[in-house]
Amino acid sequence: MKTVAILCLLVTLLYLVSCCEEETHYRKQDKCCKKCGPGKRMLVDDNCEDPRCQDCKDGEYQSGYTNKTKCERQPSCDPNLHFQQQMNPSKTSLSKCECKPGYYCTQYDDCNTCREHKVCKPGQRVVTKGSPVSDTVCEACKNGTFSTQESADTCKEWAICEYGYDKNAPGSLTSDRICVEGRPTQRGVIVVGVVVLLLILIAGVAAILYMTKRHKCWKKIKLPEQAPKIAGLNIRRLHQDADVERAIQPLNQQPEEVDEINGPVSPTPSNVTENGNVVEQEWGKEPVYPSAESNSY
């Protein structure tokens, strides 16, 4: 009989243990008692099977089943420490404090301190904007770009100067390139140099051509000076031939009168030089006309 009683007692204990769930119940004096639900606390532990529970106060919470008589307090989010004030915090879960815009928590799991987001300076751009749990990431502008404002989202490109004129080239990370007229760049200087060189070459070629043409003209002007003398000799020669012909004529033939031309001679192709000057005729000796001699006998 004693053995049977022991077995019955063990079965009863096992039944009591198996029916008492740890999450929603607790054991008290070999009894399985109920716990208060989330967001509540137990007033008095006077009735194990049906305890009296009360809601947590504002600023308090209870995340699970409990037999405690006090709720947990929500963290204090002081606005003076750059925290956002909690509006209607939960009574069933922990409400973590959040930092104001422009600030972030130093620790992700437990936000105890708020730090101000980094401000990207002029000459930088924002790569990643800050969040309540992370800081802002900045990056310097690349060469050829600039930013003049703080926390700029993008960097602007330098201005392109027209016609190759500029003043503050090549700009900087914090200022744009300022273009003004009157200051040519290296490209403009090269263009001006090429133009000047071409003008010098053209002037040199023109001078050579002018000197060559002048030399030829001087030779042409020198040669015609001997033309009148040669023409005069030819005319004299013609007159002498005429005298010989007159001397051979018969004695009884009267010589033809030659009218002397005192006026100006009209220009013809025979009495004009290469330059168009009229050849002045030079007269030789007066012609001697033959006369009949008297016979002595």
Side-chain angles (χ1 to χ4, degrees), residues 32-293:
C32 186
C33 303
K34 292 183 178 179
K35 293 181 180 179
C36 294
K40 298 179 180 294
R41 66 185 182 89
M42 189 173 291
L43 289 177
V44 180
D45 189 8
D46 55 353
N47 189 352
C48 176
E49 295 179 355
D50 189 14
R52 290 183 294 173
C53 301
Q54 187 180 16
D55 293 339
C56 296
K57 298 180 181 180
D58 294 340
E60 297 179 345
Y61 75 99
Q62 185 58 254
S63 59
Y65 290 89
T66 184
N67 59 344
K68 295 181 180 179
T69 58
K70 291 183 179 181
C71 296
E72 301 289 339
R73 292 188 60 81
Q74 294 282 10
S76 177
C77 302
D78 189 358
N80 295 324
L81 298 177
H82 310 295
F83 287 104
Q84 288 185 349
Q85 189 174 3
Q86 292 182 347
M87 302 298 295
N88 297 323
S90 175
K91 292 183 179 182
T92 59
S93 62
L94 174 65
S95 297
K96 295 181 180 180
C97 294
E98 293 184 359
C99 298
K100 294 180 180 180
Y103 294 84
Y104 71 101
C105 294
T106 55
Q107 295 180 1
Y108 181 77
D109 295 333
D110 188 10
C111 189
N112 295 325
T113 306
C114 290
R115 291 186 179 183
E116 188 175 3
H117 284 149
K118 185 187 298 181
V119 178
C120 297
K121 300 178 181 179
Q124 297 177 337
R125 72 178 186 92
V126 177
V127 178
T128 304
K129 291 184 178 181
S131 67
V133 293
S134 61
D135 195 7
T136 303
V137 179
C138 303
E139 181 184 48
C141 293
K142 297 179 180 179
N143 187 23
T145 60
F146 73 101
S147 64
T148 58
Q149 299 178 352
E150 293 182 348
S151 299
D153 293 332
T154 58
C155 296
K156 299 179 181 179
E157 294 184 358
W158 291 338
I160 299 176
C161 297
E162 298 179 357
Y163 306 110
Y165 289 90
D166 58 16
K167 183 178 180 180
N168 292 332
S172 65
L173 296 177
T174 58
S175 62
D176 192 8
R177 177 186 292 159
I178 301 175
C179 303
V180 293
E181 295 182 357
R183 185 178 180 182
T185 57
Q186 185 177 4
R187 181 179 179 184
V189 173
I190 293 174
V191 172
V192 173
V194 171
V195 172
V196 172
L197 182 60
L198 289 176
L199 291 176
I200 292 173
L201 291 176
I202 292 172
V205 173
I208 293 173
L209 293 176
Y210 175 75
M211 295 300 294
T212 304
K213 187 174 181 181
R214 184 177 179 184
H215 184 65
K216 291 181 179 180
C217 292
W218 181 80
K219 287 183 178 181
K220 290 181 180 180
I221 294 171
K222 277 293 188 178
L223 291 173
E225 292 181 356
Q226 299 178 359
K229 295 182 180 181
I230 297 172
L233 294 175
N234 293 333
I235 293 171
R236 291 178 184 177
R237 194 167 187 179
L238 290 173
H239 280 289
Q240 291 177 0
D241 294 339
D243 293 342
V244 174
E245 289 180 359
R246 291 189 185 95
I248 300 172
Q249 290 179 358
L251 296 177
N252 58 355
Q253 186 177 358
Q254 295 295 333
E256 295 180 359
E257 294 182 359
V258 179
D259 294 333
E260 184 178 356
I261 300 174
N262 296 325
V265 181
S266 59
T268 61
S270 63
N271 60 0
V272 178
T273 64
E274 294 179 357
N275 296 328
N277 298 322
V278 180
V279 179
E280 295 181 0
Q281 186 173 1
E282 294 183 6
W283 299 100
K285 297 181 181 180
E286 293 294 331
V288 179
Y289 299 101
S291 59
E293 294 181 359

